[in-house]
Amino acid sequence: MVGNGEDPRIVLERLIAERGENYADLSRLLNRNPAYIQQFIKRGTPRKLDEEDRRVLARYFGVAEEVLGGPAARSAPPVKMRSLPAVVTVPRLSLGASAGPGSLDEDERTAGVMAFDANWLRHLGVRPQKVSIIRVDGESMAPTLNDGDEIMVDHEDDAARLRDGVYVLRLDGVLMVKRIALGPRRGLFSVISDNVHYPDWIDIDPALVVIVGRVVWTGRRLV
């Protein structure tokens, strides 16, 4: 619950703790430097949130702007936390999983975040802290995945739980997204391109492959 008259910094810090968020991801949500929210809460810099930043954070956490330092609404009832779905952020990594010949992009820095309903992720069977969003490069997985699609990768669903499905993997140091098919020969599997114009790797040694995670969701832009 959020009460009246509390310091907005205390309120924001409690909201962050309750939702399992972190300062850096919220700062990126505001298109600020990663230390912005931490400096606001811990150092009092800035002295108050920018109006647009306050509006975004209030909407994100489902609270009234007043509790984050906004002006009080006239004749407003006591401010309480709204009963809205909890929202969590998932990092977008600044690399592309190649669905073409393969790319050697080792740069796994966070390039931003995407917000998802925590309950939806739970029904999807993943933990927010164990997934990330990666961009697809190339057309070898078309029509399942197209160039530019965003995919959610469950990093807990790795080689220990390997089964038929679409995975992000490294083969010979090349990051790619491919379909894995378990075959009749125990201990071997095939790496398949859904696009018939691209090659497959049949019955390969699992020791040659590093499983990054299983693809559990995809989103794409309509043009």
Side-chain angles (χ1 to χ4, degrees):
M1 302 294 289
V2 176
N4 287 318
E6 285 189 281
D7 186 324
R9 293 177 178 81
I10 295 175
V11 173
L12 182 56
E13 187 167 35
R14 184 165 67 247
L15 289 169
I16 291 171
E18 289 174 351
R19 300 289 179 83
E21 300 288 348
N22 65 69
Y23 300 137
D25 284 349
L26 286 177
S27 298
R28 295 186 184 98
L29 182 68
L30 302 174
N31 293 318
R32 299 280 190 174
N33 73 77
Y36 176 75
I37 291 296
Q38 183 177 20
Q39 290 173 347
F40 170 69
I41 291 175
K42 301 297 186 182
R43 300 183 182 179
T45 303
R47 294 180 59 188
K48 64 179 182 178
L49 289 168
D50 177 83
E51 182 178 349
E52 177 64 14
D53 292 343
R54 186 178 65 236
R55 183 189 65 79
V56 171
L57 289 172
R59 182 175 296 178
Y60 183 77
F61 284 111
V63 299
E65 287 190 48
E66 179 182 351
V67 302
L68 297 179
R74 292 182 180 179
S75 302
V79 179
K80 296 182 179 180
M81 183 81 76
R82 294 186 217 163
S83 179
L84 293 179
V87 176
V88 295
T89 56
V90 172
R92 295 178 72 250
L93 302 184
S94 59
L95 53 81
S98 176
S103 63
L104 266 175
D105 192 346
E106 296 280 348
D107 185 3
E108 298 189 8
R109 294 173 300 176
T110 300
V113 297
M114 293 180 69
F116 292 89
D117 185 317
N119 289 329
W120 182 80
L121 288 179
R122 197 156 35 243
H123 287 307
L124 197 60
V126 300
R127 295 198 294 166
Q129 62 271 33
K130 295 296 182 179
V131 295
S132 62
I133 302 296
I134 300 176
R135 184 194 68 253
V136 174
D137 288 340
E139 298 288 351
S140 77
M141 285 298 290
T144 307
L145 298 173
N146 295 319
D147 183 48
D149 285 355
E150 303 275 5
I151 55 176
M152 181 181 292
V153 182
D154 181 5
H155 299 280
E156 282 192 308
D157 206 341
D158 54 15
R161 299 164 55 184
L162 196 66
R163 58 199 186 279
D164 290 353
V166 178
Y167 287 81
V168 173
L169 53 90
R170 288 189 187 276
L171 178 60
D172 291 333
V174 178
L175 185 73
M176 58 183 69
V177 55
K178 296 290 182 181
R179 186 176 301 279
I180 285 182
L182 303 182
R185 297 179 62 185
R186 187 172 182 178
L188 301 180
F189 59 80
S190 298
V191 176
I192 306 296
S193 300
D194 282 5
N195 188 332
V196 297
H197 298 292
Y198 287 77
D200 301 328
W201 293 266
I202 305 300
D203 289 342
I204 65 175
D205 183 351
L208 301 176
V209 178
V210 176
I211 302 296
V212 176
R214 184 181 177 93
V215 178
V216 296
W217 173 88
T218 181
R220 65 183 51 162
R221 178 181 178 181
L222 295 179
V223 295

